[in-house]
Amino acid sequence: MAVITPPPPRRSERDGPAASLSPPRAALWLLLLLVLVLLGFGYWWFIQRVEVQPGQVLVLIRKVGTALPAEATQQVVLYPGLLKQLGEAPDSTRYKGIVYEPLPEGRHFYDPFFWERILAPAVVLPQDEIGIRVRKYGRPLPPGKTVATEEDERGPEAEVLKPGRYNINPFAYEIRRVKPVVIPAGQVGVATLLSGREPANPNQYVVSEGERGVQPTVLPPGMYYNNPYVRRIDTIDVRSHTVELHGDEAIRFPSNDSFEILVDSTVEYAIRQDMAPYVMVAIGEHDDIREKLILPYVRSLCRIEGSKLLARDFIAGDTRTVFQKRVFEGLREQCYAQGIEVRATLIRRIVPPKEIADPISDRQVAGQQIKQYENEIKLAEAEARLVEQQEMQKQNQAIGQANREVVSVIKEAEQRKAVGLTGVEQRLEVARLNLEAAKANAAAILSRGQADAEVLRLEYEAEARPLRDAVRAFGDGQTYAQYFLYQKLAPAIKSVLASTDGPFADIFRALTPAAPAAASLPGSGTAEGGRP
């Protein structure tokens, strides 16, 4: 029987499952995986990465997604109002278009195949500028409306952007830069609302507060961040202004007696702040105020008041003052109701007719001379009274000086008297005090002497008491004296008698014979006893 040899096993079966991949193929797959990771990282870092520098924003445009419906084909910005109308969330990624919110500076990663990435500069407003955002998306504004108040309206917004930095999408908004409104000192601002509710009475010059039109409240001096699409601010000078009426503009009118009078005048006025809006709308600027109010009123008042006076009345000073006062009061009353405050009206010059001016002038000169002479007489009388008063004053001064001297002498005498009396009283008081001190001193000395005498007496008595007792013991004083003498003499006599030296011993030595020589030798009996 033939033996059939089985075929050798395949390599995979022989090596088992662990040897299905050879070492070179595993390294190849590992290298391929590493390359894919590096490619993915490189694509993520170099392709998708977007570096937004300071002062820039990143605007994204979504390239993939559903196209906007037909009713929204005119819109390219996916603003929140549009997404809300389409029933989508504000962060929805369903539709293609420009993303509403830009991304700030920093590092962002967006795939350029799905997103268009646009770097745009951020909006920076300096201190002297403000910004007005104008929407580029939404439906157009209805007629008569100047600002966009709804979120889906296209046009300027009411809110202003103050100086600073803003991240704004340039595809959604246009920034219009305007200057703040500055109202200097001495002026006020009149506001006119361009956007607001309809006025209740459109035929009025000034509407109620908040209605569209000229506002009744003025703005004080200062700086205002004003939106010119919402409100217009006009400045009005409320300081004093003057209107000069002279030369060709001088006022001419006939007097009561049909003479032509020429008057030069100056009117000072100012706009009332509370009526500034009315003045701006109803009258106009200062040139209009001059032409429409001041000149017609002052001319008519001068003619009316001047026609009540005679030509000669304009030469007298008192009448001119009355005429000026009447013109001023009438002009102030009529202009005040129109919003103009007349502060002064000065009649600087009045030219009467020459045919009556000279005689009246001569009469006035004569009257002035008479007044001058009267004034000189009054001045002389006043000087005479002054001299008399001065002499009386000198006399009164002399009398007063004499009286003051008499009073001074009397005062000095009284003062010297008082001083002398005070000195005498002081010396008397001192003598009295010295006397009392001497008496006290004498009493003290007497007391001391009596005390010392008493002490001596007691000492003497103490010393005399033994003597008295001794005398009594001897019977009388003579016996005691003899005893006392003997007591004192006995020691002296004994000493004298016992002494072998001295003059007394010499007397006895001279009376006795000379002793033998042997007696003076040593060893004698006298020498041995130590006595003579």
Side-chain angles (χ1 to χ4, degrees):
M1 181 174 180
V3 178
I4 298 174
T5 305
R10 291 178 299 178
R11 184 175 180 178
S12 58
E13 295 177 355
R14 182 179 63 213
D15 296 340
S20 61
L21 293 177
S22 63
R25 294 183 61 185
L28 183 61
W29 281 105
L30 184 60
L31 180 62
L32 180 60
L33 180 62
L34 180 60
V35 170
L36 291 177
V37 170
L38 291 176
L39 290 176
F41 178 79
Y43 182 81
W44 173 77
W45 182 258
F46 294 103
I47 304 300
Q48 294 185 353
R49 179 172 60 92
V50 180
E51 296 287 346
V52 182
Q53 302 298 326
Q56 293 181 336
V57 294
L58 177 62
V59 180
L60 298 176
I61 301 177
R62 190 178 296 113
K63 297 180 179 181
V64 297
T66 305
L68 290 173
E71 61 272 12
T73 52
Q74 295 181 354
Q75 306 299 328
V76 293
V77 179
L78 302 176
Y79 59 94
L82 177 61
L83 295 177
K84 184 178 180 181
Q85 293 177 3
L86 298 176
E88 298 291 332
D91 57 348
S92 174
T93 59
R94 177 180 177 183
Y95 294 99
K96 295 186 295 183
I98 302 173
V99 178
Y100 177 72
E101 291 289 345
L103 297 179
E105 58 192 29
R107 181 177 296 160
H108 306 278
F109 296 91
Y110 285 93
D111 196 324
F113 293 98
F114 302 100
W115 301 91
E116 182 177 352
R117 306 165 300 177
I118 300 176
L119 292 175
V123 178
V124 179
L125 298 175
Q127 291 296 327
D128 59 343
E129 288 184 353
I130 58 175
I132 310 298
R133 291 192 299 185
V134 181
R135 294 177 187 168
K136 297 181 179 180
Y137 60 85
R139 54 189 175 86
L141 293 175
K145 197 171 184 180
T146 59
V147 292
T149 57
E150 303 295 334
E151 62 179 2
D152 60 341
E153 288 182 339
R154 183 189 310 166
E157 291 185 351
E159 182 181 0
V160 299
L161 301 178
K162 297 180 180 180
R165 181 182 182 276
Y166 300 91
N167 295 332
I168 296 178
N169 190 338
F171 297 97
Y173 292 98
E174 176 188 355
I175 305 300
R176 296 183 182 177
R177 301 169 182 261
V178 296
K179 298 290 184 181
V181 177
V182 178
I183 302 176
Q187 300 185 10
V188 295
V190 177
T192 302
L193 286 184
L194 305 178
S195 176
R197 65 179 185 272
E198 291 292 331
N201 188 357
N203 296 324
Q204 289 182 346
Y205 288 111
V206 180
V207 300
S208 300
E209 195 74 33
E211 295 180 349
R212 188 168 65 247
V214 180
Q215 300 300 297
T217 305
V218 298
L219 302 176
M223 185 174 68
Y224 297 88
Y225 294 138
N226 181 64
N227 189 336
Y229 296 98
V230 177
R231 181 178 64 175
R232 186 181 74 242
I233 297 178
D234 299 301
T235 59
I236 294 182
D237 193 346
V238 294
R239 295 173 295 183
S240 294
H241 290 71
T242 58
V243 176
E244 302 288 343
L245 300 176
H246 59 85
D248 295 338
E249 294 183 347
I251 303 173
R252 300 175 182 272
F253 59 88
S255 63
N256 195 13
D257 48 1
S258 300
F259 288 99
E260 186 180 27
I261 306 298
L262 178 66
V263 174
D264 291 345
S265 64
T266 300
V267 178
E268 180 185 358
Y269 75 94
I271 299 176
R272 292 171 50 188
Q273 293 192 19
D274 58 335
M275 294 287 289
Y278 172 82
V279 172
M280 186 193 74
V281 179
I283 302 175
E285 301 292 337
H286 286 279
D287 292 339
D288 299 323
I289 294 172
R290 181 180 182 275
E291 297 296 332
K292 297 179 182 179
L293 283 182
I294 303 298
L295 292 181
Y297 281 155
V298 72
R299 285 171 178 169
S300 63
L301 287 171
C302 286
R303 291 189 181 99
I304 293 172
E305 298 297 333
S307 63
K308 299 178 183 178
L309 302 175
L310 300 175
R312 62 183 182 181
D313 295 333
F314 290 97
I315 302 176
D318 296 339
T319 308
R320 293 176 60 178
T321 303
V322 173
F323 172 71
Q324 175 177 297
K325 183 178 179 181
R326 289 177 179 175
V327 172
F328 169 66
E329 291 178 350
L331 182 62
R332 181 178 61 179
E333 181 180 357
Q334 293 184 10
C335 291
Y336 192 82
Q338 301 295 325
I340 305 300
E341 179 185 0
V342 177
R343 297 178 176 176
T345 300
L346 176 63
I347 303 299
R348 297 189 302 170
R349 187 170 68 100
I350 298 179
V351 182
K354 186 175 180 57
E355 53 268 21
I356 66 171
D358 294 339
I360 294 176
S361 178
D362 294 338
R363 186 178 66 181
Q364 287 183 347
V365 169
Q368 291 177 358
Q369 289 179 351
I370 293 173
K371 290 183 178 179
Q372 180 180 358
Y373 295 148
E374 292 176 351
N375 292 332
E376 290 178 357
I377 294 172
K378 292 180 180 179
L379 179 61
E381 293 176 351
E383 290 179 353
R385 286 193 297 270
L386 178 60
V387 172
E388 182 181 359
Q389 291 176 359
Q390 291 177 352
E391 294 299 329
M392 290 294 296
Q393 183 178 5
K394 292 179 180 179
Q395 183 179 358
N396 293 332
Q397 289 178 354
I399 294 173
Q401 183 66 26
N403 292 333
R404 285 193 296 271
E405 291 178 357
V406 171
V407 172
S408 177
V409 171
I410 294 174
K411 290 292 185 182
E412 289 179 359
E414 291 179 352
Q415 290 178 358
R416 287 196 297 272
K417 177 181 176 182
V419 171
L421 183 59
T422 302
V424 171
E425 290 178 352
Q426 290 178 353
R427 289 194 295 274
L428 178 60
E429 183 66 21
V430 171
R432 186 180 62 78
L433 294 175
N434 291 335
L435 178 59
E436 292 179 355
K439 289 180 179 181
N441 192 16
I445 293 172
L446 179 60
S447 299
R448 260 194 324 270
Q450 290 176 354
D452 294 341
E454 185 65 23
V455 171
L456 292 175
R457 186 183 64 79
L458 295 175
E459 290 179 355
Y460 293 155
E461 285 183 357
E463 294 177 358
R465 186 175 293 113
L467 183 59
R468 185 183 58 189
D469 293 340
V471 171
R472 288 178 180 176
F474 284 95
D476 55 5
Q478 185 177 359
T479 305
Y480 177 74
Q482 292 177 355
Y483 172 74
F484 185 75
L485 179 61
Y486 295 157
Q487 288 283 53
K488 296 296 182 179
L489 292 176
I493 294 173
K494 182 179 180 181
S495 176
V496 171
L497 294 178
S499 176
T500 60
D501 297 327
F504 190 72
D506 292 340
I507 296 173
F508 291 97
R509 189 178 301 112
L511 294 177
T512 59
S520 60
L521 294 173
S524 61
T526 305
E528 293 176 358
R531 298 182 187 275

